[in-house]
């Protein structure tokens, strides 16, 4: 995906204002790989864990529940407020890749859940994570695949069907460099940054959410201007919601909730 321009202050303010709403709606799906990511990185009691790009603190909270000593960082103060609520036992601070404010070998494990693509050149990101873990420590990362699952494309397809151009969320992020979207490419990326026994596999999960709550959340999200520019009027929102409802029918469970299929890459290696 092409690099995007540096966001202006209006865009950053918009993201800060609506971060919690995004996390409760579309962003909630990013919690899916948290457990397998920590499993791959062998996080357990006493593990010194750095969670980079922690967002709402999902991975940090799971790691803390395992008894790990967690440090969670994010460039967004709004996200860190959510992280502190989700993982009160974690140390949290504003910091961003590709340069972290920690000495070499400060942690046993460094993990980043969907941080690739938002934090500078991918190889520099992996090299920095390798730097801050001790010899024998682990680095674990997730990222989206080149080919998304049907549940990941639902909102985009609904906007397209309604004739509403979508503004990529990347316009709210700093300029970035692409990363591989396939397992072999991700394994090479980690190996090229100096990690040993670099492996990558596809993980799949269903993002389960109440259908009515999902529709209401999408309506509110559309009203923020995060997904489209400018924010659509009420008639356009209703048109998008109508298409979303039709497109979501195959994902309705007998209990009435949505089970939206997602896939991602999970890569890990040893220093």
């Amino acid at each position: 995906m092409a690099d995007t321009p540096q966001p202006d202050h209006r865009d950053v303010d918009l993201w800060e204002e609506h971060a919690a709403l995004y996390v409760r709606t579309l962003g909630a799906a990013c919690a899916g790989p948290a457990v397998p990511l920590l499993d791959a990185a062998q996080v357990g009691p006493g593990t010194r864990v750095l969670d980079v790009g922690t967002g709402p603190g999902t991975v940090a909270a799971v790691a803390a529940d395992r008894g790990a000593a967690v440090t969670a960082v994010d460039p967004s103060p709004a996200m860190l407020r959510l992280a502190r609520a989700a993982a009160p036992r974690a140390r949290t601070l504003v910091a961003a890749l590709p340069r972290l404010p920690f000495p070499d070998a400060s942690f046993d494990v460094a993990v980043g859940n969907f941080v690739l693509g938002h934090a500078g050149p991918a190889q520099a990101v992996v090299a920095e994570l390798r730097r801050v873990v001790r010899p024998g420590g682990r680095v674990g990362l997730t990222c989206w695949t080149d080919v998304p699952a049907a549940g990941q494309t639902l909102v985009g397809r609904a906007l397209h069907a309604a004739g509403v151009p979508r503004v990529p969320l990347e316009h709210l992020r700093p300029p970035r460099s692409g990363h591989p979207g396939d397992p072999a490419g991700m394994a090479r990326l980690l190996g090229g940054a100096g990690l040993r026994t670099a492996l990558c596999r596809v993980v799949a999960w269903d993002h389960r959410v109440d259908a009515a709550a999902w529709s209401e959340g999408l309506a509110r999200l559309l009203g923020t201007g995060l997904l489209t520019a400018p924010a659509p009027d009420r008639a356009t929102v209703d048109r998008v919601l109508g298409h979303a409802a039709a497109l979501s029918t195959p994902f309705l469970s007998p209990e009435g909730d949505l089970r939206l299929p997602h896939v991602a890459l999970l890569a890990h290696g040893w220093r």
Side-chain angles (χ1 to χ4, degrees):
M1 189 177 294
D3 289 348
T4 52
Q6 175 71 34
D8 61 28
H9 292 301
R10 186 201 69 83
D11 286 336
V12 173
D13 291 344
L14 188 66
W15 176 247
E16 291 291 303
E17 180 183 355
H18 299 295
L21 175 60
Y22 176 74
V23 166
R24 291 196 305 270
T25 53
L26 301 188
C30 295
V35 169
L37 174 61
L38 294 174
D39 287 345
Q42 300 181 8
V43 171
T47 308
R48 297 173 302 160
V49 176
L50 173 65
D51 178 23
V52 295
T54 190
T58 303
V59 172
V62 176
D65 285 345
R66 295 184 176 197
V70 182
T71 298
V73 303
D74 199 279
S76 164
M79 285 296 186
L80 278 181
R81 287 192 290 273
L82 299 176
R84 292 186 189 109
R89 287 175 289 172
R91 174 194 179 201
T92 58
L93 67 153
V94 174
L97 287 161
R99 290 298 301 168
L100 295 169
F102 306 110
D104 294 356
S106 295
F107 302 95
D108 301 314
V109 168
V111 293
N113 193 36
F114 299 110
V115 72
L116 283 177
H118 300 285
Q123 188 148 6
V125 166
V126 179
E128 180 69 351
L129 297 183
R130 179 187 179 277
R131 180 187 70 79
V132 299
V133 299
R134 61 170 173 79
R138 286 88 66 196
V139 171
L141 291 160
T142 60
C143 65
W144 298 115
T145 60
D146 281 338
V147 181
Q152 292 164 250
T153 63
L154 181 56
V155 172
R157 287 185 287 131
L159 287 168
H160 179 76
V164 180
R166 177 171 183 171
V167 176
L169 285 175
E170 285 83 353
H171 81 296
L172 302 174
R173 298 293 189 180
R176 62 194 186 83
S177 178
H179 58 83
D182 64 285
M186 279 295 296
R188 286 194 299 271
L189 172 66
L190 269 61
L195 292 172
R196 299 180 291 109
T197 321
L199 301 171
C200 183
R201 62 185 174 91
V202 175
V203 291
W205 71 99
D206 286 345
H207 174 44
R208 297 189 178 189
V209 59
D210 177 81
W214 188 86
S215 181
E216 179 184 355
L218 177 57
R220 293 182 61 198
L221 199 60
L222 286 166
T224 65
L226 278 172
L227 299 184
T228 64
D233 58 26
R234 184 67 232 186
T236 303
V237 170
D238 288 342
R239 191 165 72 251
V240 174
L241 293 179
H243 286 291
L247 290 167
S248 67
T249 300
F251 308 117
L252 279 171
S253 74
E255 292 78 23
D257 64 340
L258 289 174
R259 300 183 181 182
L260 302 173
H262 283 62
V263 293
L265 299 178
L266 194 168
H268 57 96
W270 300 73
R271 176 173 174 180

